[in-house]
Amino acid sequence: MSSNNSYVPERAMAIVAHPDDIEFSCAGTLARWAKAGTSVSYVLCTSGDVGIETPGMTRVRAAEIREAEQLEASRLVGASEVIFLREPDGLLQATLDLRRRLVREIRRFRPEVVLCGDPTIVWAGDDYINHPDHRAAATAALDAAFPAAGQPNLFEEFAGEGFRAHRPRKVYVTIWEGGDEFVNIEETIDVKINALRAHRSQMKDWDPEKTIREWAKDAGKGKEMAYAEGFRVVTLIDDDTWAKTKGECCT
Ligand SMILES: [Zn+2]
């Protein structure tokens, strides 16, 4: 277990299923990194278009509302871009086409770190089942990050757009319990809470502050951090190789 809080990647890309997924899971870390100079990209597989259930609501209108909320939230966090892939909410699948679309985004943005969910999480306590879209987005993101994005003869059509193969240095998998790396979010927990509040259609009368502070306090317990976010971190490229290649696969 480690808590390497001096690490600041140059570029980080978070890939999730829905508007608000990043804010719930890793916005404190992204805000911390953005403040320190990281370029942060948000990739939303769906626009949460079945996530508003008021009478008369349409998918088109819901997507507009939720994209606007996501843009506001990511501005608070300090993201430099937000990409909406507009796959259908509630029906997301880890298809080869989704993997291909994510490979394109990774090769375009060239992140040092890819952040995504844990595709193995199904159960969460006795009052929630992990949303199938979360599992699908996590599977597609992991499969895009490794090995596909780094293989020049796979999805080679993107080379024509100038998007060469790219190998991310690390993958940060957001977890609900456990974890092997913890990022201190003491200075950015307020940003995280405010970014969640920006998702007004989802929060309704619920204020996220109490729950988010509890989660972050639990994650920081025993690590000399008042508030933290926990991850399972996979290091795909060692430090020396990364310094030389910055993710270029064939230099
Ligand atoms: Zn979600």
Side-chain angles (χ1 to χ4, degrees):
M1 190 175 75
S2 74
S3 47
N4 176 4
N5 284 297
S6 59
Y7 178 58
V8 178
E10 280 179 38
R11 310 171 76 72
M13 172 176 274
I15 300 171
V16 295
H18 309 122
D20 84 15
D21 290 351
I22 288 174
E23 282 68 38
F24 271 114
S25 59
C26 57
T29 298
L30 293 177
R32 180 190 170 98
W33 285 349
K35 253 169 89 176
T38 302
S39 295
V40 173
S41 172
Y42 276 32
V43 177
L44 281 287
C45 293
T46 84
S47 294
D49 46 283
V50 299
I52 306 179
E53 297 172 349
T54 51
M57 179 58 63
T58 64
R59 287 188 188 190
V60 171
R61 181 68 193 126
E64 285 170 4
I65 291 167
R66 299 203 63 189
E67 288 187 7
E69 291 172 348
Q70 183 62 77
L71 289 172
E72 188 183 331
S74 46
R75 185 182 54 75
L76 294 172
V77 170
S80 39
E81 63 168 34
V82 184
I83 307 294
F84 296 107
L85 298 182
R86 299 189 174 121
E87 297 281 337
D89 180 18
L91 302 172
L92 191 67
Q93 291 200 304
T95 60
L96 290 178
D97 184 59
L98 181 58
R99 188 190 302 177
R100 180 179 176 276
R101 297 186 75 190
L102 293 175
V103 164
R104 183 179 180 279
E105 297 307 323
I106 291 169
R107 290 185 187 172
R108 177 187 59 77
F109 188 76
R110 311 188 82 69
E112 178 172 336
V113 169
V114 170
L115 302 95
C116 63
D118 178 343
T120 69
I121 296 178
V122 178
W123 313 112
D126 58 4
D127 60 355
Y128 186 65
I129 296 171
N130 192 18
H131 195 302
D133 288 359
H134 295 165
R135 283 179 266 146
T139 296
L142 286 178
D143 294 352
F146 183 86
Q151 294 181 304
N153 290 331
L154 186 59
F155 304 128
E156 65 271 32
E157 60 272 29
F158 298 134
E161 295 180 75
F163 304 153
R164 303 177 311 283
H166 174 75
R167 295 178 176 174
R169 183 181 190 177
K170 290 171 187 285
V171 175
Y172 274 57
V173 177
T174 60
I175 45 84
W176 296 359
E177 49 191 28
D180 53 26
E181 188 151 321
F182 295 84
V183 176
N184 188 328
I185 63 162
E186 287 167 21
E187 287 177 17
T188 54
I189 189 161
D190 292 329
V191 174
K192 175 171 177 152
I193 292 164
N194 283 328
L196 266 168
R197 286 179 180 141
H199 295 279
R200 281 177 290 277
S201 69
Q202 305 305 296
M203 301 303 127
K204 297 175 202 148
D205 296 331
W206 182 72
D207 190 84
E209 175 147 23
K210 188 165 169 277
T211 301
I212 294 302
R213 285 193 191 277
E214 274 170 16
W215 289 357
K217 209 183 266 183
D218 278 354
K221 210 169 268 172
K223 303 163 196 92
E224 293 178 2
M225 290 181 233
Y227 298 116
E229 283 172 344
F231 300 90
R232 175 187 183 130
V233 175
V234 183
T235 299
L236 295 165
I237 310 275
D238 66 63
D239 293 357
D240 287 348
T241 308
W242 180 263
K244 277 187 238 144
T245 64
K246 295 282 179 184
E248 292 287 341
C249 75
C250 315
T251 48

